[in-house]
């Protein structure tokens, strides 16, 4: 195994992802309970004391809920965040966490954690200074891109050649537009600093597959689905339709699954 990936939770109510190699274990976000994280690690034969670092994408609760609680289980782990995210944590996290907080630039920063190269890049979201990450080792690459209202060229360049891509498919536009959310909330979600829709995710994947020209068959996990404005079935159907309209097919050109809010920990190996 060069790299392994597992989603412990992925939705607008909580997010946590696990990246590992033979020597290094990392987390992206801790937006669920520390006990759930510890239990999922145990199910995969790992433990909190093995986590080298937790990479935080931004300060919203569904991504940082258990920063302090998880630190108690993993006092050795570093917390990596942008300066904007770190400033918000200064008032919310325990002092012990702040001592383990390392800030990095979202402007194309590379960081070596054990035997995994981590690359950060800026997202377009209504948070202080949101950023996403890619993880590379021995020619294999994992990219996690959620909580962005649009796919900028910087985002696209970072994720386009990923072997495994976690990509936001937050909402079905018609469900959102005719749903019960207040109008300002709807406009925020639909904006360039909101969240990617199912169609936007599909269009992004079409562009990736066109650029790849059959050089590889990427594995994609649709992620960060809204409980209110989407379903796993709807996300899969809409994205599949967008792909097929461009003559790309699941199982032939791309492997695709949908992540949910209460994932069973399963390790996908590259």
């Amino acid at each position: 195994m060069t790299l392994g990936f597992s989603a412990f939770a992925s939705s607008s109510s909580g997010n946590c992802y696990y990246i590992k190699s033979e020597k290094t274990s990392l987390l992206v976000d801790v937006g669920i309970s520390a006990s759930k994280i510890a239990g999922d690690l145990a199910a995969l034969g790992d433990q909190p004391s093995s986590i080298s670092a937790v990479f935080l994408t931004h300060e919203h609760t569904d991504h940082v809920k258990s920063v302090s609680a998880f630190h108690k289980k993993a006092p050795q782990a570093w917390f990596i965040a942008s300066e904007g995210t770190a400033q918000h944590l200064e008032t919310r996290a325990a002092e012990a966490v702040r001592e383990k907080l390392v800030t990095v630039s979202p402007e194309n920063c590379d960081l070596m954690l054990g035997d995994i190269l981590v690359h950060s890049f800026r997202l377009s979201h209504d948070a202080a200074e949101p950023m996403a990450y890619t993880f590379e080792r021995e020619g294999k690459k994992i990219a996690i891109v959620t909580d962005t209202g649009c796919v900028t060229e910087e985002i696209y360049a970072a994720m386009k050649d990923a072997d495994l891509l976690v990509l936001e498919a937050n909402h079905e536009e018609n469900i959102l537009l005719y749903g019960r959310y207040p109008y300002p909330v709807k406009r925020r979600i639909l904006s360039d600093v909101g969240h990617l829709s199912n169609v936007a995710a599909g269009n992004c994947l079409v562009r990736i597959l066109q650029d790849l020209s059959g050089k590889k068959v990427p594995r994609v996990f649709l992620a960060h689905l809204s409980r209110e404005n989407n379903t796993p079935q709807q996300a899969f159907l809409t994205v599949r339709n967008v792909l097929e309209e461009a003559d790309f097919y699941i199982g032939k050109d791309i492997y695709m699954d949908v992540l949910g809010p209460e994932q069973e920990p399963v390790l996908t190996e590259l």
Side-chain angles (χ1 to χ4, degrees):
M1 180 187 72
T2 301
L3 282 174
F5 167 83
S6 184
F8 294 169
S10 180
S11 77
S12 52
S13 58
N15 299 273
C16 183
Y17 306 100
Y18 172 65
I19 310 289
K20 77 165 306 219
S21 67
E22 297 294 343
K23 298 179 179 180
T24 308
S25 296
L26 309 171
L27 292 177
V28 177
D29 288 332
V30 282
I32 57 176
S33 71
S35 59
K36 167 76 161 77
I37 296 171
D40 287 351
L41 287 171
L44 296 176
D46 212 336
Q47 53 192 338
S49 61
S50 297
I51 300 297
S52 299
V54 178
F55 289 84
L56 302 174
T57 59
H58 61 294
E59 75 276 10
H60 292 168
T61 302
D62 58 320
H63 296 264
V64 300
K65 175 182 177 180
S66 66
V67 164
S68 294
F70 186 73
H71 170 70
K72 293 179 181 179
K73 293 181 178 293
Q76 81 293 335
W78 296 96
F79 289 85
I80 314 297
S82 68
E83 183 64 37
T85 300
Q87 288 177 3
H88 279 264
L89 291 178
E90 285 290 329
T91 59
R92 296 168 57 180
E95 182 178 352
V97 174
R98 298 198 294 270
E99 292 175 355
K100 299 293 289 187
L101 194 59
V102 176
T103 59
V104 297
S105 169
E107 301 293 348
N108 296 308
C109 176
D110 288 330
L111 184 66
M112 200 74 188
L113 260 295
D115 54 354
I116 300 177
L117 176 64
V118 186
H119 174 76
S120 68
F121 52 100
R122 189 180 298 276
L123 293 172
S124 180
H125 193 52
D126 58 350
E129 197 176 19
M131 61 183 181
Y133 305 92
T134 63
F135 304 86
E136 297 181 63
R137 179 172 180 262
E138 295 181 354
K140 296 295 184 180
K141 182 175 181 178
I142 295 172
I144 299 177
V145 179
T146 69
D147 295 80
T148 190
C150 62
V151 177
T152 64
E153 289 304 309
E154 179 186 0
I155 294 171
Y156 183 76
M159 71 179 183
K160 66 180 181 180
D161 59 344
D163 299 277
L164 187 154
L165 171 62
V166 179
L167 181 64
E168 180 171 52
N170 177 259
H171 59 275
E172 184 73 11
E173 282 199 26
N174 283 338
I175 297 177
L176 173 64
L177 288 171
Y178 294 101
R180 61 181 181 178
Y181 279 11
Y183 180 74
V185 176
K186 294 178 181 180
R187 296 312 308 166
R188 168 193 162 271
I189 293 170
L190 291 167
S191 75
D192 281 352
V193 291
H195 293 279
L196 290 182
S197 68
N198 294 334
V199 169
N203 288 335
C204 180
L205 293 176
V206 166
R207 183 183 176 188
I208 288 173
L209 292 174
Q210 289 172 338
D211 285 350
L212 285 175
S213 301
K215 295 174 184 175
K216 68 170 70 174
V217 180
R219 178 171 294 278
V220 174
F221 292 96
L222 302 180
H224 206 281
L225 275 64
S226 166
R227 288 178 179 267
E228 182 79 17
N229 302 303
N230 211 355
T231 66
Q233 297 82 4
Q234 184 65 65
F236 189 93
L237 177 64
T238 298
V239 174
R240 185 188 68 185
N241 288 345
V242 173
L243 290 170
E244 291 184 354
E245 286 174 3
D247 204 27
F248 293 114
Y249 299 91
I250 295 169
K252 174 179 175 287
D253 304 294
I254 188 173
Y255 299 111
M256 192 172 78
D257 294 287
V258 184
L259 300 177
E262 297 177 357
Q263 287 290 129
E264 291 297 321
V266 176
L267 192 68
T268 299
E269 298 184 2
L270 299 177

